[in-house]
Amino acid sequence: MVSLPTAKHHTTQSNNHRAFIAEYTCGTGPDEISTGAALSHQSRADHSSSSSSSQCHYVSNKGWRYVWWTFGCMTLFLYLCRFAFPLRETPKYLLYKRRDAEATQLVKDIAAYSNRKTWLEESSFARIDSTVDASAPESRRQSRTKSLLSSAGAIGLPVLCLLWAVAGLTFTLHKTYISKYLATKNVEAVSATSVTTGYLYSRYLYVALCAIPGPIVVGLLIEAKGLGRKRTGSIVAVLTGLFMFLATVSRSRNALLAFECILSFLQTATMAVLVTYSVEVFAAPFRGFGLGVVGFFWGLFGLIASIITTFESTVTDGAAVWFCGAIWVIMGGAWMVVPETKGRAAA
């Protein structure tokens, strides 16, 4: 009788370093024979001759469950670690809430931790209050929408929302339709039914690894002399559009993988510069509201992209691919009309 590990050996001998999904999943396509053998062994062990080798049973499909359990444990561990690091409010927020004593004490604590001295006293704010009407009537206070406009500008705010919307829409569309377009060029799509599970998740791993340097590179560029936030955003946007265009020249799976890795890097770089800029451009009292607004556009257009790819799965003419590349090139110019935030306090 062939044992269960032996039945799976011929599909995983070159991928035995991969954990969970590649090792413990029901096979499809090239992997199907190994799953069939595994289930055949299980059927004989259970003395049940009615089980079909094409069925997917719990015992041979634990991989995704192991993944969820692992990430669940990691998330729980990080949640518990949070209590080891006490977090305090910023002085700016405390001042906005008229909690002068807490703000003063916090600044003193920061100075003491840094072995520095501070001249700040609670009476300093009292002297300011005596000369500035800090308690303006409600009718004279700006609404949250007007405050966002004053922070990002009448043109900057719509452009920023558009950038977030494009980020939510295009990456999903391009990833789906580039494969469909290349299929018309005799480049077979990579799916669970066309490649082995080990090969499929190897591609996922390579794409994920290439995403890691994106925010790091952006973090260096936005502080570089002569670049700043919006120029970095413009460069990343144009590069994203160009590589979306160039991905259409792929004529093999490996060539497509190379472009997927580059676009994965550019996607995280795009999100990094967008998040950095959005946090800096909105004034502290309305920053949370501002991030909620731009995040809404990102989520809404991400949902639209998912709906499009679900119900328009037969489109193969490449129109969506060209659209995604073109709009990112245009967004490179749009970045230049938003105000620079480097070295500038939010309005």
Side-chain angles (χ1 to χ4, degrees), residues 39-107:
L39 295 176
S40 177
H41 165 74
Q42 180 193 4
S43 178
R44 290 194 297 270
D46 296 339
H47 303 288
S48 173
S49 59
S50 61
S51 296
S52 171
S53 63
S54 63
Q55 289 179 315
C56 185
H57 290 258
Y58 170 85
V59 69
S60 58
N61 194 38
K62 293 183 179 180
W64 67 270
R65 294 175 172 88
Y66 292 154
V67 172
W68 279 102
W69 295 338
T70 301
F71 280 109
C73 292
M74 292 171 62
T75 303
L76 179 61
F77 172 74
L78 294 174
Y79 166 75
L80 296 175
C81 287
R82 179 257 176 269
F83 295 99
F85 302 95
L87 303 178
R88 303 173 70 175
E89 289 290 356
T90 63
K92 182 182 287 188
Y93 175 83
L94 294 173
L95 288 176
Y96 170 72
K97 290 296 184 179
R98 307 291 297 159
R99 292 154 63 177
D100 296 351
E102 294 179 58
T104 303
Q105 186 59 48
L106 179 57
V107 172

